[in-house]
Amino acid sequence: MVVSRSDQTARTRERLLETAERLFALHGIASVSSRQISKAAGQGNNYAVGHHFGDKTGLIRAILETHNARIDVIRGQRLGDLAEAADVRDWIECLIRPEIEHLVSLGATSYYARFCAHMAADPQTGYLLYESVAVSHPLTEVMTGFYRVLPTIPKRVMDARVSMSQNMIIHSLADIERSIEESPAEASTIADRWSDHCDLLIDAAVGLWLAPTKNP
């Protein structure tokens, strides 16, 4: 069967995306070069990343866009199921559970959560993670609904809890993903493990946001 040029290009881009995500997840963002990604993806051209994505930043954006498009579909479905009287927990679940459902769909060997954790910790690329959040309509709708039902919190407390919750969610998902890879099991068991951790993470996030404020 003859493979068209457009199909070949799409396959090459997919290999580069998958390879980059894995290498970034295992070694960090700054430690992996575009040349290393091209070589690991089996490309004879050391500048394949630049050819297909412009640069390393363009490659990272493409990884985020690929995953976020799938997560947006799941989150949009959950938004449609929310009751009018949705409370803080409902909105937090609509924030966290779609991410985990997507990670479950990736199977036992996934790298996306660890990739995001490395991105968040890297001063050169962390902004890309939050930049991608700003263009997600379902996520914007979730955050709008969440802030609408949240009790009044002083700004400095609000800012601190935003940072705390982001770090807790991002790094907890990375830890869970790593532990699943280190002790793989049947697909159904992996889904159950993710689900258990999801409930724990939602409980923790609700507790964080509804905690009393000692020094407002």
Side-chain angles (χ1 to χ4, degrees):
M1 183 177 67
V2 178
V3 178
S4 70
R5 186 174 181 82
S6 60
D7 286 342
Q8 186 176 18
T9 297
R11 291 180 185 179
T12 299
R13 283 176 59 89
E14 186 175 353
R15 276 198 301 273
L16 288 168
L17 289 170
E18 291 175 352
T19 301
E21 184 179 320
R22 174 173 56 82
L23 292 178
F24 288 146
L26 296 177
H27 306 294
I29 306 297
S31 299
V32 179
S33 68
S34 295
R35 183 185 293 264
Q36 289 172 317
I37 294 167
S38 297
K39 182 177 179 180
Q43 301 303 301
N45 177 8
N46 289 329
Y47 301 98
V49 168
H51 175 73
H52 289 279
F53 301 99
D55 55 17
K56 188 174 174 180
T57 298
L59 173 63
I60 291 171
R61 281 199 173 103
I63 294 172
L64 290 169
E65 288 167 3
T66 299
H67 287 280
N68 286 339
R70 299 169 187 168
I71 295 170
D72 276 352
V73 171
I74 300 171
R75 185 168 282 123
Q77 292 168 345
R78 286 201 164 267
L79 275 168
D81 295 335
L82 272 183
E84 296 233 352
D87 59 15
V88 168
R89 185 184 185 86
D90 294 327
W91 288 110
I92 287 178
E93 181 161 4
C94 201
L95 172 67
I96 295 174
R97 197 169 292 278
E99 301 263 358
I100 289 183
E101 288 183 5
H102 174 62
L103 289 167
V104 170
S105 74
L106 299 178
T109 307
S110 60
Y111 298 99
Y112 185 59
R114 284 170 285 176
F115 161 73
C116 289
H118 278 298
M119 275 198 67
D122 190 304
Q124 300 301 317
T125 60
Y127 75 95
L128 294 172
L129 188 61
Y130 302 110
E131 175 185 87
S132 68
V133 168
V135 298
S136 167
H137 295 299
L139 187 53
T140 299
E141 188 174 343
V142 169
M143 297 313 298
T144 300
F146 170 69
Y147 288 129
R148 186 174 61 245
V149 300
L150 196 66
T152 302
I153 299 174
K155 185 180 183 308
R156 72 178 190 86
V157 177
M158 172 75 77
D159 292 343
R161 290 185 183 181
V162 166
S163 178
M164 290 176 189
S165 61
Q166 286 174 341
N167 287 327
M168 179 179 69
I169 294 169
I170 290 170
H171 293 288
S172 292
L173 293 180
D175 287 343
I176 298 164
E177 183 182 70
R178 186 180 298 107
S179 71
I180 288 175
E181 183 186 33
E182 291 171 353
S183 55
E186 296 295 327
S188 59
T189 306
I190 290 171
D192 289 341
R193 287 168 65 183
W194 272 115
S195 181
D196 289 343
H197 283 293
C198 182
D199 291 337
L200 291 171
L201 194 51
I202 291 169
D203 288 342
V206 172
L208 171 64
W209 280 102
L210 297 183
T213 304
K214 182 178 179 181
N215 298 307

